[in-house]
Amino acid sequence: MNHASAFVILALLLFGPLAVATIEHNIELYCLALGVLATLLGAGFTHELILEALHEPVAISVAVIVAALLFGWLRPGLDRVFERLRHRLSRPVLTASAVFVIASISSVITAIVGALVLVEVVGLLRLAGEKRVRVTVAGCFAIGMGASLTPLGEPLSTLAARALDLEFMGLFHLLAPWVFPGVLASSIVAGLFARGDYDEAPAGAHVSQTYGAILFQAGKVFAFIAGLVMISSAYGPIANEYVSRMSNDLLFWANTVSAALDNATLVALEVHSMTLPRAREAILSLLISGGMLIPGNIPNIVSAGALRIGSATWAKVGVPMGLVMLGIYFAVIKLMG
């Protein structure tokens, strides 16, 4: 693929979801279409690429289905548990604890299901107005980071593990010491945002998903990852050429663009042939930046859609929180050399 074609497709990938609401709401199919186009303009389809595009999304798509079904069956029990906990724990403590648990297991139950559980919990915590928005944003920061620890968690982790040729627990060993402090901090912030009494709002509506909706969501995830695999393959040589010229510091801050598009997209373009320390810095920047705006990560899209949170409202909380976290992580990375 020549540089002109690559630039046009990249511009469509970056700005299409921002410019057209229909694309933002169907970003998975849009990404698949651009993946096919990039492949046709590049080296074309090969047997190996087709098999890879069909194989890579399978595990996370199956995980989405299984975890969503389990959540549906276990939800009545979750409601009863929260009813008892509301009588024993203050709302800030229960909020922080719930967010931390959801985020910590999201690499197994997937970020999509983690976001659905978060929406349910926000209703059970009887949050309303600005508090509901703030807790949701902080919770999505935590889920986005926690889901990165296995290839099952989210598209970013699936593609990162593939590009870095890591085993199933490879991402955990690479990221866990850096991710868990961020998950804990985001959970504490969510608890602080939730200060108040339980009776200030009625219980929220339950998250309802039919079997068809679950299969449709899994199909969209499959299409999204398949499209990113094709984009990654088509852009690999070009990405290696340009990303290799950027210093670690420049790449860390350049990755804030992932706030405006799903962070898995940049992982698909960037981490080819990177050393693990350099890849870790890039991934951490993408994980944090992905929480700043709604299109930045799948949990944001799911939660904002379920709770009807607008882009500007999300940004008022997400951008300051993300910039503070980026600054702290950057300082720690520099201090540790």
Side-chain angles (χ1 to χ4, degrees), residues 197-210:
D197 297 325
Y198 288 112
D199 60 358
E200 68 181 40
H206 290 303
V207 178
S208 180
Q209 276 200 307
T210 64

Side-chain angles (χ1 to χ4, degrees), residues 58-323:
V58 169
I60 189 172
S61 300
V62 172
V64 167
I65 295 172
V66 172
L69 290 173
L70 286 174
F71 169 58
W73 296 332
L74 297 174
R75 191 179 64 194
L78 176 67
D79 294 351
R80 289 192 295 271
V81 168
F82 262 80
E83 182 65 35
R84 292 194 293 268
L85 289 175
R86 282 201 300 266
H87 296 292
R88 299 181 181 180
L89 298 175
S90 67
R91 193 166 68 177
V93 171
L94 182 54
T95 300
S97 302
V99 168
F100 184 79
V101 170
I102 294 168
S104 297
I105 64 174
S106 60
S107 62
V108 177
I109 67 173
T110 76
I112 293 172
V113 177
L116 292 173
V117 177
L118 176 66
V119 170
E120 183 82 5
V121 166
V122 165
L124 294 171
L125 291 167
R126 298 185 178 179
L127 295 160
E130 189 175 349
K131 289 182 180 179
R132 183 182 69 170
V133 174
R134 289 181 173 183
V135 170
T136 302
V137 174
C140 285
F141 269 102
I143 291 171
M145 297 187 75
S148 68
L149 298 178
T150 76
L152 296 179
E154 57 183 336
L156 177 146
S157 56
T158 302
L159 294 162
R162 166 185 171 271
L164 296 171
D165 195 25
L166 296 176
E167 297 180 354
F168 185 80
M169 294 302 294
L171 285 172
F172 183 90
H173 297 309
L174 179 68
L175 299 175
W178 296 84
V179 160
F180 276 115
V183 170
L184 178 60
S186 299
S187 302
I188 292 172
V189 169
L192 294 174
F193 285 156
R195 285 174 294 184
D197 297 325
Y198 288 112
D199 60 358
E200 68 181 40
H206 290 303
V207 178
S208 180
Q209 276 200 307
T210 64
Y211 292 135
I214 293 171
L215 290 174
F216 183 66
Q217 183 68 67
K220 290 174 70 176
V221 171
F222 188 101
F224 186 52
I225 296 178
L228 289 177
V229 166
M230 287 184 274
I231 290 172
S232 174
S233 177
Y235 276 84
I238 297 174
N240 285 338
E241 178 184 349
Y242 286 99
V243 172
S244 63
R245 299 176 184 176
M246 301 173 69
S247 67
N248 288 6
D249 294 352
L250 178 58
L251 183 61
F252 183 92
W253 290 107
N255 277 341
T256 56
V257 71
S258 69
L261 72 156
D262 193 280
N263 50 24
T265 304
L266 289 183
V267 162
L269 297 175
E270 284 183 4
V271 298
H272 299 275
S273 306
M274 276 189 179
T275 63
L276 292 183
R278 178 172 166 84
R280 178 172 54 217
E281 291 186 23
I283 292 171
L284 287 171
S285 176
L286 291 171
L287 290 173
I288 298 168
S289 300
M292 293 167 67
L293 299 175
I294 290 175
N297 208 356
I298 279 188
N300 312 359
I301 297 170
V302 172
S303 300
L307 297 174
R308 298 182 180 180
I309 300 174
S311 297
T313 303
W314 187 288
K316 289 179 182 178
V317 182
V319 171
M321 186 172 173
L323 290 176

